[in-house]
């Protein structure tokens, strides 16, 4: 790779070391469907798919493998839950940091008599927990929340929010696009009813696979979004009510699940806390390095976060396939952490020009604009211009961070 990839919030790159070969092996040597043929190779594939559900359930401390269902991405997961749960007259609370993956389905649903309000966040993007009680109405059915911001990296206190939802008997739906695989998430401790994830970001899998991890109580009431064949109870013309079949009409993305399985194996092998701390060390170094560059503004919280104590992280780019990450103990994520997503804006140079010059002169790839989250930019005060976003992944190194700092220093002179 002759560029420095700092757009891991969009999709992680490189992927987990064995992902591509496992997918290629499946396609070339197995390639058969599950739940359809009653021959033994199909059962072998089925076993891997079941193991993937199991690993995901364990990663999120979910309730049961049957409640881990696959979708193409988190956008589809969120749509499945919102459209399968909400009825005319229902009210939903979201936060001021939501992605269009939440806003657009809810805007569509508002034409069907479903209303929503936004819980305010401060200019750091942190949800104002004290505002929630007054926004809850008699017909409030769910809180839908972006766990980790894809704009400024703030991570919301889902334990506190989950407790509020539990007290009021409200479903708690969490968009874990940026946090699944990058920080520990405890679905039960946080009273999450629907944990929506995508496979191609922190879970280090391929594009085209995502899913849901559901609580038993939401599983009972969800209606399918898509109807069709499941390979089970074929004599029935209605969808099976059991899980995971209830939400999995049509052939699954088996190569995608097999790729995701490899991503999960890698995360478990390295340890999610190790990956998190590695990424946060990089984000902190970047924040510290650019803080004093004239005419650059850090967006959202601009302090460094969660500094690892053993600050010896790998420092070369030679082994992207399996970098050595710092090792730390397995601790639960503290509240108001961050993920390794940092946004900046400039007062002197247009953001798009800056991003273009970072690529053309320094080979650094970033993302510029609104990042599909106009509401978050309104909250953070960067609408409509947007920001330049730097997002660090497990395979990035100190050298990558320093190249970005140096590049910005040179361009801002
Ligand atoms: C917070 C958040 N939600 C939803 C999405 C949508 O992800 P996907 O395109 O995988 O559905 C993203 C991706 O950028 C995101 O950052």
């Amino acid at each position: 790779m002759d560029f420095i990839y700092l757009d891991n919030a969009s999709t992680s790159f490189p992927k987990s070391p064995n992902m591509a070969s496992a997918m290629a092996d499946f396609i070339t040597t197995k390639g058969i469907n599950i739940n359809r043929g009653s021959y033994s190779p199909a059962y072998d594939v089925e076993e891997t798919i079941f193991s993937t559900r199991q690993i995901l359930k364990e990663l999120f401390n979910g309730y049961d493998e049957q409640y881990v269902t696959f979708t193409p991405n988190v956008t589809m997961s969120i749509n499945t839950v919102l459209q399968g749960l909400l009825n005319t007259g229902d009210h939903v609370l979201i936060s001021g940091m939501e992605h269009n993956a939440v806003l657009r389905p809810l805007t569509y649903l508002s034409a069907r008599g479903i209303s929503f309000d936004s819980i305010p966040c401060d200019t750091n993007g942190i949800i104002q927990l004290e505002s929630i009680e007054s926004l809850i109405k008699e017909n409030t059915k769910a809180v839908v929340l972006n766990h980790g911001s894809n704009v400024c990296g703030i991570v919301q206190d889902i334990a506190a929010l989950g407790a509020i939802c539990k007290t009021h008997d409200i479903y708690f739906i969490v968009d874990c696009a940026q946090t699944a695989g990058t920080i520990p998430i405890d679905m039960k401790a946080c009273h999450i009813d629907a944990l929506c994830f995508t496979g191609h970001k922190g879970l280090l899998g391929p594009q085209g696979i995502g899913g849901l991890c559901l609580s038993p109580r939401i599983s009972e009431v969800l209606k399918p979004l898509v109807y069709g064949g499941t390979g089970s109870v074929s004599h029935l013309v209605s969808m099976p009510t059991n899980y995971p079949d209830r939400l999995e009409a049509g052939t699954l993305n088996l190569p995608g699940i097999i790729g995701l399985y490899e991503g999960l194996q890698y995360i478990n092998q390295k340890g999610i806390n190790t990956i998190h701390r590695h990424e946060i060390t990089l984000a902190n170094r970047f924040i510290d390095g650019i803080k004093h560059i004239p005419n650059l503004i850090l967006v959202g919280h601009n302090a460094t976060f969660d500094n690892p104590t053993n600050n010896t992280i790998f420092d070369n780019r030679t082994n992207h396939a399996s970098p050595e990450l710092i090792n730390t103990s397995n601790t639960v994520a503290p509240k108001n952490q961050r993920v390794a997503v940092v946004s900046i804006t400039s007062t002197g140079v247009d953001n798009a020009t800056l991003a273009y010059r970072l690529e053309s002169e320094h080979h650094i790839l970033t993302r510029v604009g609104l990042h599909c989250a106009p509401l978050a930019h309104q909250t953070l005060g960067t609408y409509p211009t947007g920001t330049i976003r730097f997002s660090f992944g497990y395979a990035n190194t100190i050298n990558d961070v320093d190249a970005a700092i140096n590049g910005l220093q040179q361009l801002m002179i």
Side-chain angles (χ1 to χ4, degrees), residues 9-10 73-75 78 99 101 146 148 150 175 177-178 198 200-201:
S10 175
N73 47 49
V74 70
T75 302
I78 293 166
H99 188 275
N146 181 359
N150 62 312
D175 172 357
Q178 297 296 338
T198 207
H200 67 103
K201 298 184 195 270

Side-chain angles (χ1 to χ4, degrees), residues 349-370:
V349 190
D350 159 70
N351 286 342
T353 306
L354 201 51
Y356 172 74
R357 290 189 64 192
L358 274 173
E359 180 185 354
S360 57
E361 296 170 33
H362 298 273
H363 313 291
I364 293 168
L365 306 187
T366 60
R367 182 165 172 194
V368 70
L370 292 175

Side-chain angles (χ1 to χ4, degrees), residues 9-11 72-78 97-102 146-151 175-179 197-201 208-210 367 371-373 389:
S10 175
T11 198
N73 47 49
V74 70
T75 302
M76 189 66 96
S77 304
I78 293 166
M97 292 298 286
E98 295 314 306
H99 188 275
N100 277 341
V102 166
N146 181 359
H147 187 198
S149 169
N150 62 312
V151 177
D175 172 357
C176 293
Q178 297 296 338
T179 51
F197 64 89
T198 207
H200 67 103
K201 298 184 195 270
I209 188 70
R367 182 165 172 194
H371 322 299
C372 299
R389 184 181 73 183

Side-chain angles (χ1 to χ4, degrees), residues 100-298:
N100 277 341
V102 166
L103 270 180
R104 285 182 175 170
L106 282 175
T107 302
Y108 161 71
L109 288 171
S110 61
R112 295 193 351 213
I114 291 151
S115 57
F116 64 99
D117 287 305
S118 180
I119 308 164
C121 295
D122 66 16
T123 51
N124 288 324
I126 300 172
I127 196 161
Q128 302 294 281
L129 287 171
E130 64 279 7
S131 318
I132 299 177
E133 298 280 347
S134 63
L135 290 168
I136 295 173
K137 302 179 184 177
E138 230 168 68
N139 59 341
T140 304
K141 192 163 192 177
V143 168
V144 190
L145 183 83
N146 181 359
H147 187 198
S149 169
N150 62 312
V151 177
C152 69
I154 188 71
V155 169
Q156 308 292 355
D157 184 356
I158 50 171
L161 270 148
I164 296 171
C165 289
K166 184 175 159 52
T167 305
H168 291 272
D169 198 21
I170 292 169
Y171 292 106
F172 189 30
I173 302 162
V174 185
D175 172 357
C176 293
Q178 297 296 338
T179 51
T182 64
I183 64 171
I185 305 171
D186 187 327
M187 190 175 170
K188 285 181 190 146
C190 297
H191 306 293
I192 297 172
D193 289 294
L195 188 158
C196 309
F197 64 89
T198 207
H200 67 103
K201 298 184 195 270
L203 292 174
L204 307 179
Q207 289 91 349
I209 188 70
L212 280 165
C213 207
L214 300 168
S215 71
R217 73 168 190 150
I218 204 169
S219 307
E220 271 172 31
V221 296
L222 275 188
K223 293 187 291 280
L225 180 64
V226 178
Y227 294 76
T230 54
S232 57
V233 290
S234 295
H235 60 290
L236 295 181
V237 291
S238 55
M239 279 298 279
T241 52
N242 64 299
Y243 280 86
D245 299 22
R246 178 159 163 161
L247 300 184
E248 288 183 348
T251 295
L252 288 174
N253 176 3
L254 299 180
I257 298 171
I258 281 158
L260 177 60
Y261 174 85
E262 292 300 330
L264 291 163
Q265 295 287 56
Y266 182 81
I267 291 165
N268 281 340
Q269 178 204 330
K270 291 289 174 187
I272 191 162
N273 281 291
T274 303
I275 292 173
H276 172 62
R277 287 185 176 265
H278 172 78
E279 293 178 356
I280 292 306
T281 302
L282 299 177
N284 283 346
R285 186 179 179 93
F286 179 69
I287 291 169
D288 281 339
I290 62 164
K291 250 180 191 161
H292 306 295
I293 299 177
N295 301 324
L296 275 192
I297 300 159
L298 274 159

